[in-house]
Structure formats: structure tokens, C-alpha cells
Amino acid sequence: VRDHFARYPVIALSLKDVKTQRWAECQQALALVIADAFAEHRALLQAATLDADDRAAFERIRSAQASAVELWRSLRLLARLLHQAYGQPVLLLLDEYDTPLQSAYVHGYYDDAVEFMRNFLSAGLKDNPHLWKGVLTGVLRVARDSIFSGLNHLSVSSVLSPEYAPSFGFTEDEVRALLPAGPEGEAQLAVVRD
């Protein structure tokens, strides 16, 4: 694990606040989240590897003025620019990728949201030579035949996956260590009610 520490440029996005009642607002909120990711890497604008077309696209995305098609390809663009600048492929962290989809389902613009997310994730994750790894978190079960159709090497892990059980929540030993000891030295569970 230490071999990978601080080695890769990172693109980190969270879609947790993209909860809207209309598709136009959702798309605008997504554009702002993506713009923030580009703003975090604005130092790339000084890179010698950045040509005029890439600079113009970067600025449109960073200022939330990009077209839907440019937004679809934005992760791939940012990954390529980071890879060129730092000589290492990118680690993509996308937290709560499914929040816009849940909102879209509830408010009736699901087809528009799925189209956007499918194209956005496909461009960023599928066959992207500038990507080292991508990690997506969400509460919806990933189905390979939905927005992830066509993605290769997709591995789904949940809190119920045995190999990751020690990584989610607390182990039994950790819970016992956190609980106060009772009269016989045993851990005691205290229940607090409002």
C-alpha cells in the first residue's frame, strides 16, 4: 500500500448535494461539481503540455459554461491533463454517484439523468488510459446492465463483502474496546434514548 501513497494525481468529486426537482437544475448542479474539480487543478493552466484547445475546454468547464457533451467527457479530459503534467495515471474518487439518480427517479427526469451519468462515467472510466483506478461510492446496488453497461473490470463491494468487513464499521473487538467495562470487567452496552 505504501508503494502507492501520494503517487497518483487525484480527481475527487462528491455528488451528495445534487438533489433537485428538475433536470435543468440537476445538470447545472453537476456542472458546478465538475467545475469545482477543475478549479482544484487550475495549476494545469500553467502546464507546458496544455494546448490552446485544451485550455479553452478547461476554462469552459471550470466556469460551468461547458456543453453537455463537454461535461460528459470532462473526467477523461482532466485525467489526461493530469497524467500529462505529472507522468502518472489518475485515481478517481466519486462519492455518492447515485444521489442525482435517486433524485431523478423521485422527480420524474430519470431518463435524462441516466443518459448524462452513463456518458459521464463511461468517458471517465471505460478504456481510459489515463486512469489508474476509479472508486465510486453510493447506496444503490451497482448493476452492470444499467448505467455501467460496457464497463469492464468492474468490482462491486459492499458492507456485506467478507473481504472488506474489517474496513466498514467496527469489528467486534473494536466495539468491546470502546465500551466501558462493567463490574466483572466485561464490556457493557449503554443504550441512549431521546
Side-chain angles (χ1 to χ4, degrees):
V1 174
R2 289 304 269 173
D3 293 343
H4 299 289
F5 181 73
R7 180 174 172 187
Y8 305 97
V10 176
I11 300 172
L13 302 108
S14 175
L15 303 184
K16 71 178 179 63
D17 295 323
V18 182
K19 303 172 190 165
T20 64
Q21 293 185 12
R22 288 173 286 288
W23 169 239
E25 293 168 351
C26 181
Q27 190 171 18
Q28 197 172 26
L30 289 165
L32 289 173
V33 168
I34 296 166
D36 287 346
F38 272 68
E40 287 178 21
H41 297 288
R42 67 175 133 296
L44 289 172
L45 291 170
Q46 310 309 316
T49 57
L50 197 66
D51 67 25
D53 290 337
D54 287 341
R55 182 179 312 282
F58 191 104
E59 288 291 5
R60 280 192 305 277
I61 295 166
R62 187 175 75 135
S63 64
Q65 301 300 313
S67 69
V69 174
E70 285 177 309
L71 291 175
W72 291 345
R73 298 194 43 83
S74 61
L75 287 178
R76 182 177 287 266
L77 172 65
L78 188 53
R80 178 172 56 81
L81 297 177
L82 286 166
H83 191 186
Q84 287 171 349
Y86 295 102
Q88 290 290 336
V90 169
L91 171 62
L92 171 64
L93 304 173
L94 182 54
D95 190 31
E96 297 194 40
Y97 80 91
D98 54 349
T99 299
L101 296 172
Q102 291 172 319
S103 188
Y105 181 77
V106 169
H107 297 291
Y109 58 88
Y110 186 74
D111 290 344
D112 290 321
V114 166
E115 177 186 31
F116 181 91
M117 293 303 291
R118 180 179 291 126
N119 290 324
F120 178 65
L121 294 174
S122 179
L125 298 171
K126 184 176 168 112
D127 301 326
N128 185 348
H130 310 289
L131 183 69
W132 176 63
K133 285 198 188 283
V135 178
L136 283 69
T137 66
V139 296
L140 295 178
R141 175 87 174 137
V142 172
R144 289 190 181 119
D145 57 343
S146 65
I147 64 170
F148 296 103
S149 63
L151 285 181
N152 302 328
H153 312 297
L154 187 63
S155 174
V156 178
S157 300
S158 77
V159 294
L160 301 176
S161 300
E163 67 272 23
Y164 294 106
S167 302
F168 293 106
F170 297 100
T171 65
E172 187 175 334
D173 290 339
E174 290 169 331
V175 171
R176 289 189 185 285
L178 292 170
L179 293 174
E184 287 89 40
E186 282 292 314
Q188 300 294 309
L189 177 61
V191 178
V192 178
R193 298 195 195 297
D194 289 333

